[in-house]
Amino acid sequence: MLVLTDATDRSSRRRRLDRAWQRFLRDGDVSDVRPEIARSWTRARDVYRIDPALRRAPLEVRDALPRLREQDETFELARPLLARLSASLRDAGHVLAYFDADGLMLSIGGDPATIAQVAEINLCPGARWREDVAGTNGSGTALADRRATEVFASEHFVEAWQPWTSAAAPVLAPGGELVALVQITGPWDTREPQGLVAAAALAAAVEERLRARQEVRDELVRHAMRSARSSGEAVVAVDVRGRVLQASDAARRRLSFEDGELPRAVRERLALALRGGEDPLDEELSLEWPGAGDERRRVACATVLHERRAVGAVLHLAPPPAARGTRGGARQRLTARYGFEAILGHSELLRAALDLAEIAARNDLPVVLHGESGTGKELFAQGIHAGGARAGAPFVALNCGAIPAALVESELFGYEPGTFTGAQREGKAGKFEEADGGTLFLDEVTELPPPAQTALLRVLQEAEVVRLGGSAPRRVDVRVIAATNRRLYDQVEAGRFRQDLYFRLNVLHVDIPPLRARSEDVPLLARAFLREAEERMGRDGLELSDAAKALLLAHPWPGNVRELKNVIMRAAAVVSGARIGPADLRLAPVRGIAAPARVDAAPPPVERPPEPPAPEGEGPERDELVAALDACRWNIARTATSLGVSRQTLYRRLRKFGITR
C-alpha cells in the first residue's frame, strides 16, 4: 500500500507539473511551482534562451578527461566516497555523478542500465550541465543557487530531461569557494533513495576531507614560518590561494595589508605562480605594495610543498635601510585599535568582567585575563590600555605560545649585535623596549619556559631590561597584561609556573566568560557580525531566519565569539538570497560540550592562589595592596576578587602589613 501511495503521489505531482510547465512556456505563469524552480525557469527562458526542445546537453570534452580528473584535487579526495555510494546504487536504478566547479561531469557510477539510458541525453563524463547551456537541472541549478537542490520530472526546463529526477549538492572548500557538485539521478516514477539527503551527506563528507587536508597544509606552512622567523626579518606565510596564515609583527608594521590580507594584485600574482600558472614561481618575486609609491620591494619567496604540490609559501622581506636601528617611527603605529565599546554584550557575566576591566584601566597594576580561546582576551587588553593613562603610548602584543622556546628571551628582551648566528648585525630591541611607556600584552603566558619566567620576574621587579649578549641595563616603563586559557594557580601547583611570578602578575584578575555561558548575547553579536559581513562582501539586506537564530542559540560554541564570527561570515558568503537559514550556517554537532548555560548560571570560579601563607617578602607588596583597595573603594569582597584571593587571605595580608583604612 505504501508503494502504491508513493507512486500515486508522484504521478499526481508529475501531471500537475506538466500543466505548470506548459503554462509557463505559453504565458510565463509560474504560480504553481516552487520559487527556486520559477527563478530557474525564468533564467533559462529570458536570460539564457534555452530551447526546451533540446535533445542533448553539450558534450565538450573527450580526450582531456583523464588529465582533468588528475588535476582536480577534490575529485581525488572524493573518489573513494563516490565508489562506495555508487556501489550501493547499482540495484536501485540510480546513478551518482561528479561535476567540477564549472558544471562539467568528470565521472558517473551506479546502475549500469541507467548509465546507458542517461547517456542518450549526454548525462555522461565530458558533458557540460550548467544552467546557461542545459536549463533547469539538478547540478546546474545547485551550481547557480549554491545550495542543495532537487529537480523532479517536469521541473526540468528541457523536455528531454523530464523523465528523470536529479538531486545535487555543492561541495564548498574551507574558504567558501564552490569546488565541485555531486548528483544522484534516477527515473521520476521509481521510489526515491532519499537522493537529496544522500547527495548533501556525500557533499558534507567530501567537505570534511577538504577541511582536514587544508588543516594539514596550513600547519605545514605555519611550521615553515616558525622556522624562518628566527632571522628577525618581516615574514609572511600564505596558503596556495595567497591567503595570509601568519605574519610577523615586523611584516604587519611595514606592509600595507587589506583587511589582514595581501593586496589584491599581490595575492593574485602569487596565487597564479603557486598554482603553476603562466608565470612560474621564481626564487624572488618583485611585488609592488600599495602606498609605497613607485618603489618595488624584492621579496624572497620560499615555496612549501606537500605531496609534491605547492601548498603555500613563506615570504621574506628584508628590513629597509632607513628603518635599521630606529625605534621611534615604528612605535607610533603600535597602538591599541579597540576600546571597551568593541566588546558587545549585555549579559550579567560579561558586564561583571567589563566592570573589573574598567577598574583595571583606571590604575597601573598588572592584570591577568583568564578565558577560553576565542573569548576576546586581546580585546579586553586593548580596552584596558585604551581606557587608561597610557592610551597614547605603544600597545605591544606577544603570543608566548607561538615562539620557539629558544627565541622567547630574545623576543622579550632583545639582543646585542653578534649575539648568535642569524641575528641582525645591528642588534634588536625586545618587546619590553618597544612597549616602553605603554602596555605589553603577553598572551598564553603559561607557555613561557622557566628561564624566561625568571627573566620576566626580574624585569617586573627592577623595571629594567638587559639585552641578550649585553650587560648594560635599560630602564623601561611598561604595564604588563597577561592572558591565559589555563588557571594560573593550577600551573603553580603543577610546578610549571613560578609562584613569585604568579603573585607579581596576578594583582588584578578578570575572568572572561565563554559564549555558551552568556547565550543571551548571541543574537546581538550575530547581528553585528552580519552587518560587518555585508560591508566586507558588498552585500545588503542580509538577515537571519528564526530557525537560524534558534540554531545559533542552541549551539555550544566551543570556539566562542571567534567561532560565531566565522560562522556568520561563511553564511553571508554562501547564502544565495538575503535570508540565512539553518543549512547556510553549516553548524556541525559538537560532542563533549555542555549545552549553553542559563542566563542566571553561577559565575565561573574565581582564580585562587595556593592557600599556604607566603613567606615574608613574597606576594603583593604593601603599596600594591593599598592601590587595589583604592581602586575598589576599599570594598573587601571586590578587592579580594580583583586580586584573585579569598577574603580570609586578604584580611591576613592586611594584618601582615598593618593596613587599615
Side-chain angles (χ1 to χ4, degrees):
M1 289 297 295
L2 285 175
V3 174
L4 179 60
T5 301
D6 288 344
T8 303
D9 289 345
R10 287 196 298 275
S11 297
S12 175
R13 183 184 178 193
R14 170 69 191 266
R15 288 193 296 271
R16 176 175 57 81
L17 287 170
D18 282 343
R19 293 191 295 270
W21 179 70
Q22 291 165 2
R23 284 197 304 273
F24 176 75
L25 294 182
R26 185 176 61 251
D27 54 26
D29 180 13
V30 293
S31 59
D32 201 24
V33 295
R34 293 181 289 151
E36 57 268 33
I37 298 300
R39 291 192 298 269
S40 179
W41 280 1
T42 302
R43 290 193 298 265
R45 185 190 66 175
D46 299 341
V47 179
Y48 307 133
R49 301 191 180 279
I50 301 297
D51 181 2
L54 190 67
R55 303 308 303 167
R56 295 179 179 83
L59 187 61
E60 296 185 3
V61 178
R62 292 181 184 274
D63 298 336
L65 273 173
R67 177 177 56 81
L68 292 175
R69 290 172 182 146
E70 182 180 353
Q71 292 175 346
D72 191 318
E73 293 186 69
T74 304
F75 179 69
E76 289 300 315
L77 283 178
R79 192 193 293 266
L81 302 175
L82 294 170
R84 285 199 292 270
L85 184 54
S86 295
S88 69
L89 295 175
R90 288 183 63 86
D91 299 325
H94 286 68
V95 295
L96 171 64
Y98 175 93
F99 299 81
D100 69 11
D102 200 32
L104 181 75
M105 187 194 290
L106 296 186
S107 75
I108 191 169
D111 185 275
T114 304
I115 291 175
Q117 288 178 300
V118 296
E120 297 176 3
I121 59 172
N122 280 350
L123 188 62
C124 61
R128 186 83 64 185
W129 280 84
R130 288 195 316 260
E131 270 193 351
D132 62 340
V133 295
T136 306
N137 68 91
S139 59
T141 304
L143 177 60
D145 290 344
R146 291 177 62 90
R147 62 187 302 173
T149 302
E150 183 179 59
V151 179
F152 173 79
S154 301
E155 288 181 329
H156 290 92
F157 182 77
V158 175
E159 186 174 12
W161 318 159
Q162 292 178 358
W164 307 98
T165 293
S166 295
V171 177
L172 303 180
E177 176 188 4
L178 193 151
V179 292
L181 300 111
V182 291
Q183 174 178 293
I184 295 176
T185 300
W188 72 268
D189 55 351
T190 59
R191 187 185 180 98
E192 300 176 22
Q194 296 192 341
L196 191 61
V197 175
L202 176 59
V206 177
E207 288 174 352
E208 183 58 37
R209 290 193 168 202
L210 286 171
R211 278 193 293 272
R213 184 191 64 183
Q214 191 62 45
E215 288 174 1
V216 171
R217 292 182 167 186
D218 288 353
E219 184 54 37
L220 283 170
V221 177
R222 292 190 184 98
H223 176 74
M225 167 82 170
R226 289 192 292 270
S227 301
R229 287 179 68 174
S230 60
S231 64
E233 296 179 350
V235 184
V236 182
V238 299
D239 65 10
V240 73
R241 298 185 302 277
R243 178 173 58 93
V244 174
L245 300 175
Q246 234 179 20
S248 67
D249 292 339
R252 292 289 184 190
R253 291 195 300 270
R254 292 172 43 219
L255 297 176
S256 299
F257 290 84
E258 297 176 358
D259 293 328
E261 296 294 337
L262 301 180
R264 181 176 178 180
V266 176
R267 185 168 63 250
E268 291 177 351
R269 168 84 186 282
L270 188 60
L272 179 65
L274 288 172
R275 291 177 172 178
E278 56 192 40
D279 293 331
L281 186 62
D282 299 323
E283 286 300 318
E284 290 191 357
L285 293 176
S286 295
L287 302 178
E288 187 174 341
W289 298 83
D294 296 330
E295 180 185 3
R296 294 176 62 85
R297 297 187 176 181
R298 300 291 293 181
V299 177
C301 183
T303 310
V304 180
L305 300 176
H306 176 56
E307 295 178 348
R308 295 183 298 176
R309 293 180 184 268
V311 299
V314 177
L315 310 179
H316 304 253
L317 181 63
R324 297 181 186 271
T326 63
R327 290 176 56 198
R331 283 178 47 192
Q332 298 306 313
R333 301 175 62 186
L334 298 173
T335 57
R337 292 176 294 166
Y338 305 105
F340 287 127
E341 69 278 358
I343 303 173
L344 303 179
H346 303 298
S347 65
E348 183 179 345
L349 292 179
L350 182 67
R351 297 315 307 175
L354 278 171
D355 287 344
L356 280 174
E358 288 170 355
I359 291 172
R362 294 197 293 268
N363 59 63
D364 215 21
L365 299 173
V367 181
V368 169
L369 304 174
H370 172 262
E372 296 176 4
S373 177
T375 51
K377 295 187 288 294
E378 183 164 353
L379 271 182
F380 271 77
Q382 293 199 28
I384 292 171
H385 174 82
R390 297 176 181 260
F395 176 89
V396 178
L398 178 67
N399 188 324
C400 303
I403 304 172
L407 300 179
V408 169
E409 292 184 63
S410 66
E411 282 287 329
L412 280 172
F413 314 119
Y415 55 83
E416 294 292 352
T419 302
F420 50 85
T421 303
Q424 295 181 21
R425 287 179 297 178
E426 65 279 2
K428 180 176 179 293
K431 299 301 181 185
F432 270 96
E433 291 183 61
E434 289 183 3
D436 190 19
T439 300
L440 177 60
F441 174 57
L442 298 177
D443 198 9
E444 296 185 34
V445 71
T446 54
E447 301 302 315
L448 284 175
Q453 293 182 32
T454 303
L456 175 60
L457 178 64
R458 185 184 183 284
V459 174
L460 294 176
Q461 289 174 335
E462 305 299 333
E464 60 184 23
V465 296
V466 177
R467 291 186 179 183
L468 296 185
S471 57
R474 300 167 186 257
R475 297 293 298 177
V476 289
D477 174 24
V478 176
R479 182 192 193 168
V480 173
I481 300 177
T484 175
N485 56 11
R486 303 177 183 179
R487 291 282 172 186
L488 270 181
Y489 79 88
D490 289 342
Q491 303 302 303
V492 172
E493 292 181 341
R496 290 189 289 269
F497 201 84
R498 289 182 62 110
Q499 186 182 59
D500 45 3
L501 179 58
Y502 168 89
F503 285 123
R504 276 287 178 183
L505 291 173
N506 197 49
V507 179
L508 295 175
H509 185 94
V510 180
D511 265 308
I512 304 174
L515 188 55
R516 63 181 174 275
R518 55 182 188 105
S519 56
E520 63 267 42
D521 290 337
V522 169
L524 172 64
L525 290 164
R527 286 194 299 272
F529 294 148
L530 197 56
R531 300 291 81 80
E532 183 181 343
E534 286 181 333
E535 183 177 344
R536 290 183 60 179
M537 299 173 190
R539 304 192 63 173
D540 191 29
L542 293 178
E543 61 177 354
L544 292 162
S545 68
D546 291 340
K549 294 175 184 176
L551 186 59
L552 292 177
L553 286 170
H555 190 68
W557 300 112
N560 292 293
V561 179
R562 183 185 296 124
E563 181 189 5
L564 173 60
K565 181 175 183 178
N566 290 342
V567 166
I568 296 297
M569 289 291 180
R570 179 178 63 209
V574 304
V575 67
S576 57
R579 195 168 180 81
I580 296 174
D584 301 311
L585 299 174
R586 310 185 73 82
L587 280 175
V590 180
R591 297 180 180 178
I593 298 209
R598 291 169 49 89
V599 173
D600 56 355
V606 176
E607 176 91 21
R608 305 290 187 197
E611 279 303 317
E616 194 71 15
E618 291 190 0
E621 299 294 334
R622 186 182 193 283
D623 12 339
E624 292 175 337
L625 282 173
V626 173
L629 287 162
D630 288 339
C632 298
R633 300 180 182 178
W634 285 76
N635 181 302
I636 297 298
R638 183 177 291 180
T639 303
T641 299
S642 71
L643 294 172
V645 299
S646 65
R647 283 188 293 179
Q648 291 80 3
T649 300
L650 178 58
Y651 279 123
R652 185 169 65 247
R653 292 178 182 168
L654 295 179
R655 289 194 299 270
K656 170 185 173 182
F657 290 107
I659 298 174
T660 57
R661 186 163 185 173

